[in-house]
């Protein structure tokens, strides 16, 4: 029963995520623009350069931590999956007291991992607002014993650390009296109202977007999420019902630099493949969002953590296709990041300390196919060869590359001792040391003279 229920719920989410992410792209991907004064034209420059973000799913659902009446597989869909009425679910809000929350500690973990932006849930599908909104009392300041605004504290910590703060905002709302249950996932609502009025709900959404873009300083992204709601309607219909363009216009009017993802029903700035990495380079900007274990929200029984090797090679793979990696962590109800997540982000940070020049600001590989031994990114007249499988014979072949190489060297190490390079019909061959500099992914730099030529 458990497995079937989980598959049913997860399945619908996954299908909707794939459909949404594949159906709508963003704007055509541009090579990372050189540093230039911010303007609406190059507002994507920071995003294209960042390549690595941290997703944070934090809310009332962290209190049950995935467990309820003997079942242990719940996550942030806890209220829907238990079919819990609003009055009962609000009981968890009354227990939500994250006294160990320390915004600076969270941001330190993100920054040390090489993360350039954080996307945190301001309001997930349960409708509980993780910020000091004046439009409903169903928020962390008024409805919990904690009485603090974590987004305000996170905004200060991000500003101090030079990390962009971004907000996730759920389109469906299982609490708002004006969000009609008929548009909700599985037609669920915690307290369905016969006179629910979607137009009034849109006004509520616009008001909260205004609060988020007025009270928390510069916001990098408004990360909307449909979560499989409005079942049976296409994106254009959802966009019309939600007055999506009006909401996007309001965002641009308040903060012209704020990006919008593609989950409000319109393509907007970029696409959002979820839990999978596209097979090849994309023609428009994209960001792969992924859990670190199997849950977005905190689940105390979920120990299926992705090892740092998987995270690093995913990051490289996504960058080699011109995209960003938004990797999730689900904090506990006490306000801490799970120690396993901190450990993994720390190991990724150690790799980024050496190899981030081959990730930040890079664009997709100019080659038609990815090499068998790893991936390739490009930036500033250089190719970065990310070698997962180090050649045992010391010969690293880049098939299909026709360009004259001015110099080849390892990225690791303070010296850039040249490596011997030969150019042949099968491509470019670099003679590399016997030992790989890194057991997960070693970077070899090819300095190119002139344009990159490839099959
Ligand atoms: O339903 C949500 C889910 O809870 C989670 O927030 C993910 C993250 O991208 N988005 C939806 C599923 O696609």
């Amino acid at each position: 029963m458990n497995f079937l229920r989980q598959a049913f719920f997860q399945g619908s989410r996954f299908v909707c995520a794939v459909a949404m992410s594949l159906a709508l792209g963003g704007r055509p991907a541009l090579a990372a623009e050189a540093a230039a004064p911010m303007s609406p034209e190059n507002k994507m420059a920071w995003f294209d350069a960042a390549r690595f973000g941290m997703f944070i799913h934090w809310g009332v659902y962290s209190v049950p931590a995935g467990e309820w009446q003997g079942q242990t597989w719940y996550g942030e869909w806890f209220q829907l999956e238990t079919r819990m009425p609003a009055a009962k679910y609000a009981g968890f809000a009354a227990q939500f007291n994250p006294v160990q929350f320390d915004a600076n500690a969270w941001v330190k973990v993100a920054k040390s991992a090489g993360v350039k932006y954080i996307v945190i849930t301001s309001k997930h599908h349960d409708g509980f607002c993780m910020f000091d909104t004046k439009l409903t009392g169903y928020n962390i300041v008024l409805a919990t014993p904690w009485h603090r605004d974590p987004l305000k504290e996170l905004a200060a910590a991000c500003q101090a650390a030079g990390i962009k703060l971004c907000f996730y905002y759920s389109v469906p709302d299982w609490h708002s009296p004006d969000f009609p249950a008929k548009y909700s996932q599985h037609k669920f609502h915690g307290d369905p109202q016969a006179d629910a009025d979607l137009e009034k709900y849109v006004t509520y959404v616009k008001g909260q977007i205004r609060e988020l873009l007025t009270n928390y300083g510069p916001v990098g992204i408004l990360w909307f999420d449909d979560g499989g709601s409005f079942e049976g309607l296409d994106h254009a219909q959802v966009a019309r019902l939600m007055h999506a363009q009006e909401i996007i216009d309001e965002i641009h009017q308040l903060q012209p630099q704020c990006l919008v993802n593609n989950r409000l029903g319109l393509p907007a700035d970029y696409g959002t493949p979820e839990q999978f990495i596209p097979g090849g380079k994309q023609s428009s900007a994209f960001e792969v969002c992924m859990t670190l274990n199997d849950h977005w929200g905190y689940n105390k029984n979920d120990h299926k953590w992705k090892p740092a090797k998987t995270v690093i090679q995913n990051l490289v793979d996504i960058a080699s296709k011109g995209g960003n990696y938004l990797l999730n962590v689900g904090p506990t109800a006490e306000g801490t990041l799970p120690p396993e997540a901190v450990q993994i982000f720390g190991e990724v940070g150690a790799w980024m300390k050496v190899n981030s020049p081959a990730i930040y600001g890079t664009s997709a590989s100019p080659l038609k196919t990815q090499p068998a031994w790893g991936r390739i990114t490009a930036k500033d007249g250089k190719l970065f060869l990310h070698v997962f499988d180090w050649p045992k014979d010391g010969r690293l072949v880049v098939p299909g590359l026709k360009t004259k190489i001015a110099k080849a060297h390892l990225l690791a190490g303070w010296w850039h001792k040249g490596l011997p390079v030969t150019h042949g019909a099968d491509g470019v061959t670099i003679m590399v040391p016997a030992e790989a500099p890194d057991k997960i992914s070693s970077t070899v730099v090819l300095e190119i003279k002139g344009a990159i030529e490839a099959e």
Side-chain angles (χ1 to χ4, degrees), residues 13 17 57 76-77 124-125 168 223 225 227 263 274 289 296:
R13 265 190 261 173
H57 277 69
E76 70 294 346
W77 276 44
H124 204 263
H125 307 331
Y168 168 110
W223 210 100
D225 201 2
R263 297 196 180 187
E274 176 170 320
C289 57
W296 298 103

Side-chain angles (χ1 to χ4, degrees), residues 73 110-111 113 193 254 256 277 282 292 319 327 405 419 421 439:
W73 52 269
K111 192 168 176 83
Q193 303 298 311
L254 288 164
I277 299 172
Q282 300 300 296
L292 189 53
L327 185 60
I405 306 302
L419 299 172
V421 177
K439 62 185 184 312

Side-chain angles (χ1 to χ4, degrees), residues 332-347:
T332 67
E334 293 70 32
T336 59
L337 302 181
E340 299 88 342
V342 173
Q343 171 66 27
I344 294 162
F345 272 94
E347 290 172 39

